[in-house]
Each structure stands twice: as C-alpha cells, then as structure tokens.
C-alpha cells in the first residue's frame, strides 16, 4: 500500500492510498479517514460505496462526513467504483465499464478479467484496511449512494453477519427492474436473470435475506427516482417480507452531494449507535 | 441575474448565479446559500472570499459551511476571484491574472479594464445580493482564505462600519512583504508602494485602521506559511497597535479545504454570535 496524500482534518487524518489489487489486476485507489484516537485503540469502520462516474474523491471532498466521524470515533473508508487504467476495457456510456463496476464479479468477457468489485470490496480491501489501519473489523457498517447504495444493500444482505449497520442514499434498489441494471448486469454476468438475484436488494429480501434494520434517504426531486431508483420497490419488498426498514422521502432533494452531505451526519450517527452498542 | 443552478441542501437552497458586471465588464458567477427561514425574514450575510486559482465552486463544494449556516440562519455568499473570459487579459502564472484578482482595483494597463475586484466586492455585488436575496445588509460579516483572507481583512479594515464580524483562514497578511503580493500589486497598481498600503492588512492597522476584533486560523503545516503568509507579521502589527485579535496556530493543518472545512463551523459560529448580537 502506498500513500498518495494525507491531510489533517477535524483532528484526524484524511488519507488517500493506492495498492496493487489481485482481484482487479490493477492499481486501486481508496480513501480512509481515521479520527483522533488513543494509542492502541481500534475504531469501528464505516464503508461508503460511491455511485456511477465517481471515484473515492467525490465523497472525500464533498461528503461532509469527517465532523460526524470525528465526533463518533468512526473510520470512514471510500473505495473506487471500478478498476482503472488503459488496459481495462470500457464502454462509451457513463453507466457501464470504468466508473460503473456495480459491485459485481463479472463473468462475461472482456469484463471478467478486471471487473471483480464484489470480491474486491468483500474480501481484498477489508484485509488491507485491517492490516494498515486501527480498525476493529468486528464492528463494520456499510452505506453508499445510488449504484453504491445498491452495493451496500446487496453486500450486506448476502453477508449480514459482517455488518452491524446498513444504510443507503438514493440507492438503486433493483437492477432487475431498471435500465441501469439491465445494461450492467447483462454486460457483466450475462442474460440469465436467475444469476442477477444475488445482485438485487429486492430479490435478496424476497429470497429470504434479512438485516436487523436499514436506513434509506431518498430525495423527492431526484431525477433518477422514477426511471431508475424506484424506491417504492424496496418499500414493498420490505413490507411483504417483514424486513424492518426506515425509508425516508426527503422533500425537494436531488441526487447530488448537496443531498448526501445534508443527511451524512444522520447516517454516521445511525451507524455509530449500532457500531458502538 | 440568471440562475445557473439551485440545489436543496440542509433545508435551504444552495444557488449559483451569474450577472453582467459593470465593474469588470464581464459576466460574473457567484454562489449563495440561503437557509430555511420564515417568509419575509431578512437574514445576516457572511461573505467568503476565495484564494488563488479558486472560483465560487471550491468553497461551495468543499467548505462545509451549510450545516452551520442553516443552524445559525446566516446567508453565505461566495464570489469569484477575478473576471473571466477570452477577452480578459491573463498571465502564465497561477498567482496573477485570472483566478488571482487580489481584491484590488487595477490602475495599470491592460488590467485596469477588467480587474476591479475591490469595487465589485465592495459596491456592485452587495447591491445584487440586497436586491435578490432575503439579506439584512445591516448585518454583514466577512471571511476568506489565503488571498481571500487578505481580501476580507483589507476590505473590512478600510470600511469597518460595514461589517460586524471579520475572520480569515490562512490569510496573506501583508502583500508588501511577500512574493505573491509583490508580483500582483506591482502588476495591478504599479511600483509605488505607498499606494499598496490600502491593500495590506498590516499596513492598514499600522496606519490607524481598527476592527472591534478579528479571528484568524492558520495551519502550522501550511507550505505557504513561511514564504508568503507570515502570520507573525499580523500578530506583531495587532500587538503594536492594540488591535484585538484571536490568531490561532492549528497544529498539523495545511493550506487545503481539509483545513478550512475543519474550522468553518467555528468561524460561522463566531460570525453568527456578532451578527445576531
């Protein structure tokens, strides 16, 4: 792991790091905020998965998480959204290929060689975090935005024992039911929709996966709400399955970091309550 | 005035606007955050002047001021740092010309036609703010970063009656005493250093200007501290003149928005206390 940059912020250290990923066969960059803490202390970890077109940088610069993380003593980890580099295949669209890994392990050529974001987030990067930071890996929470909200929900639903807390900002709740999902999952894992169910929060809940609870914020003025995000599908899946969920429609908010930053402290506090219980 | 964008944030509205400036003879872009407020209410205004290379966008995206401004009911105005456009003269350096207006009215050709940032900030933009926003212009505060900290201090020292509160993040405290100032003031207003004193916070204090008090935060790990910012010159000028000042050296902080955002809520609170007294 190499250090790209470190900056003192809110009494802690905001770092950006890079390492050679075996899963993606590329260098991968991520950011970590470590609050001020006592020597030898281990802090809970909140994962934040970003949305389409983003890198670690968007939330690191615009997410406004550091004040709340410093207050609650929570490490904040922001990975990239896909492999990068000239040798990595790409698509002309913003919603497939680089910047659009969808947190899946691709099985289709040419994507399968590098697009292994599920294994990267589930296995490889946690080992790097555990090895290099004062992280208590027994206390992990996960959140994310849009495509990253989809990532957070599906990763947690497949492995609820790993996470004490799960939330999302304006998540894609069902790739089976929206154009972004149709395009990405067809491309990465092929046309067999039975295989997609492991990557669909609503389908996972329908198939029996459960979390203790979850928090979702969704803006009513989000231009992707009707055509892509379809929050009501998650509300309906949770209601049918008896999955506890706090899903809040936020009047007037859009899909931007102005929305995310407005509710970030709420989410960090919600995670901290469960991570420190 | 035309609206470039509006986003709901922290219960209020973060807008970006553009207007034709008579002073700069260009279009000028600025951002304004208006917190949620009662119909008909007028809110105090905090001006934030940005540093070299910045536009309104840097602080708007990375400044983390909205939570505190919403809490205290303060409007936050972030102007650009210079005129822009293909017809505006420029310099090869990042520290002169576009993005480096230094909040002066240039008297030297070719700069004098457009680089009238003092008149723009002191007179023209306040009239636009008063006309279009629920702003109580009897309650103004001013702050800024680096070159913008210089702007905030000098504008307030020349017209203390306009501002109830003044602060700065890592300000240039004496253009007479640093390479950035030497280059910019020679270029914009010529070699006569007597004329520079109106644009030098330390000289203004030495020449008798006074504020009720002022707040400055400066990082000890700021790479510009020794060669350009020279905070000690302001400390010494204030001490000699009996000018009340709270000048805080912040251990380990650099010149970036990681530093600014860490202390932004402190500054907004400090201004709010005086603006709402």
């Amino acid at each position: 792991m190499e250090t790209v940059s470190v900056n003192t912020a809110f009494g802690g250290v905001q770092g950006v790091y890079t390492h050679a990923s075996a899963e993606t066969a590329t260098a991968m960059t991520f950011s970590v905020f470590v609050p001020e803490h006592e020597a030898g202390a281990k802090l809970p970890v909140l994962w934040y998965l970003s949305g389409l077109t983003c890198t670690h940088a968007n939330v690191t610069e615009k997410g406004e998480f550091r004040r709340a993380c410093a207050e609650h003593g929570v490490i904040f980890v922001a990975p990239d959204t896909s492999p990068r580099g000239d040798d990595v295949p790409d698509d002309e669209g913003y919603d497939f290929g680089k910047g659009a890994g969808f947190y899946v392990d691709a099985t289709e050529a040419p994507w399968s060689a590098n697009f292994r974001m599920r294994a990267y987030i589930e296995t490889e990067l946690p080992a790097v975090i555990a090895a290099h930071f004062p992280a208590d890996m027994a206390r992990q929470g996960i959140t994310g935005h849009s495509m990253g909200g989809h990532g957070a929900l599906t990763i947690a639903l497949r492995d609820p024992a790993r996470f004490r807390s799960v939330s999302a900002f304006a998540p894609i709740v069902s790739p089976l039911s929206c154009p972004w999902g149709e395009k990405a999952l067809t491309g990465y894992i092929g046309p067999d929709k039975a295989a997609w169910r492991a990557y669909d929060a609503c389908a996972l809940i329908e198939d029996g996966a459960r979390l203790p609870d979850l928090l979702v914020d969704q803006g009513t003025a989000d231009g992707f709400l009707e055509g892509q995000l379809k929050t009501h599908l998650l509300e309906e899946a949770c209601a049918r399955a008896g999955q506890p969920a706090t899903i809040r429609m936020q009047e007037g908010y859009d899909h931007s970091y102005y929305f995310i930053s407005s509710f970030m402290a709420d989410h960090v506090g919600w995670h901290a309550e469960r991570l420190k219980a």
Side-chain angles (χ1 to χ4, degrees), chain A residues 157 173-174 197 200-207 230 233-235 237:
Chain A
L157 283 161
V173 304
S174 179
R197 296 184 72 80
D200 185 295
C202 291
L204 283 161
I205 291 169
E206 194 177 314
D207 293 348
K230 303 183 182 181
L233 295 177
L234 181 64
E235 287 180 309

Side-chain angles (χ1 to χ4, degrees), chain A residues 90-141:
Chain A
D90 201 6
D91 181 77
E92 287 179 5
Y94 73 94
D95 54 358
F96 188 56
K98 291 180 195 174
F102 272 82
Y103 306 100
V104 307
D105 285 346
T107 55
E108 301 294 294
W111 313 101
S112 53
N114 305 105
F115 283 77
R116 296 185 51 78
M117 290 301 293
R118 174 180 173 172
Y120 177 71
I121 300 293
E122 288 185 350
T123 308
E124 187 173 25
L125 188 55
V128 174
I129 298 300
H132 294 281
F133 299 91
D136 178 357
M137 303 306 279
R139 293 187 291 159
Q140 297 183 60

Side-chain angles (χ1 to χ4, degrees), chain A residues 11-248:
Chain A
V13 175
Q14 178 62 62
V16 177
Y17 308 92
T18 185
H19 70 125
S21 164
E23 290 292 350
T24 67
T26 65
M28 290 293 285
T29 301
F30 59 94
S31 84
V32 180
F33 176 67
V34 179
E36 199 172 8
H37 59 280
E38 288 182 18
K42 296 271 194 183
L43 308 182
V45 176
L46 177 57
W47 294 82
Y48 177 93
L49 305 184
S50 293
L52 287 167
T53 77
C54 289
T55 68
H56 70 283
N58 305 68
V59 73
T60 304
E61 296 174 358
K62 302 193 283 190
E64 303 196 21
F65 56 84
R66 279 175 289 270
R67 174 174 298 278
C69 285
E71 180 189 334
H72 295 294
V74 172
I75 291 174
F76 191 97
V77 179
D80 202 348
T81 53
S82 79
R84 309 276 176 182
D86 293 344
D87 297 336
V88 173
D90 201 6
D91 181 77
E92 287 179 5
Y94 73 94
D95 54 358
F96 188 56
K98 291 180 195 174
F102 272 82
Y103 306 100
V104 307
D105 285 346
T107 55
E108 301 294 294
W111 313 101
S112 53
N114 305 105
F115 283 77
R116 296 185 51 78
M117 290 301 293
R118 174 180 173 172
Y120 177 71
I121 300 293
E122 288 185 350
T123 308
E124 187 173 25
L125 188 55
V128 174
I129 298 300
H132 294 281
F133 299 91
D136 178 357
M137 303 306 279
R139 293 187 291 159
Q140 297 183 60
I142 190 165
T143 187
H145 173 231
S146 194
M147 177 183 76
H150 144 76
L153 294 173
T154 56
I155 289 170
L157 283 161
R158 288 193 306 265
D159 187 7
R162 178 178 158 200
F163 300 101
R164 292 201 190 175
S165 53
V166 183
S167 78
F169 301 86
I172 299 170
V173 304
S174 179
L176 278 159
S177 314
C178 72
W180 280 340
E182 286 273 344
K183 178 177 179 180
L185 295 195
T186 302
Y188 291 135
I189 60 172
D192 175 11
K193 292 195 173 179
W196 296 22
R197 296 184 72 80
Y199 295 116
D200 185 295
C202 291
L204 283 161
I205 291 169
E206 194 177 314
D207 293 348
R210 289 293 179 276
L211 298 168
D213 58 2
L214 61 91
L215 171 66
V216 170
D217 277 311
Q218 171 64 55
T220 62
D222 185 327
F224 299 114
L225 176 53
E226 269 194 48
Q228 301 278 6
L229 305 174
K230 303 183 182 181
T231 316
H232 66 93
L233 295 177
L234 181 64
E235 287 180 309
E236 291 157 15
C238 288
R240 276 196 303 272
Q243 165 65 54
T246 302
I247 300 175
R248 309 189 297 198

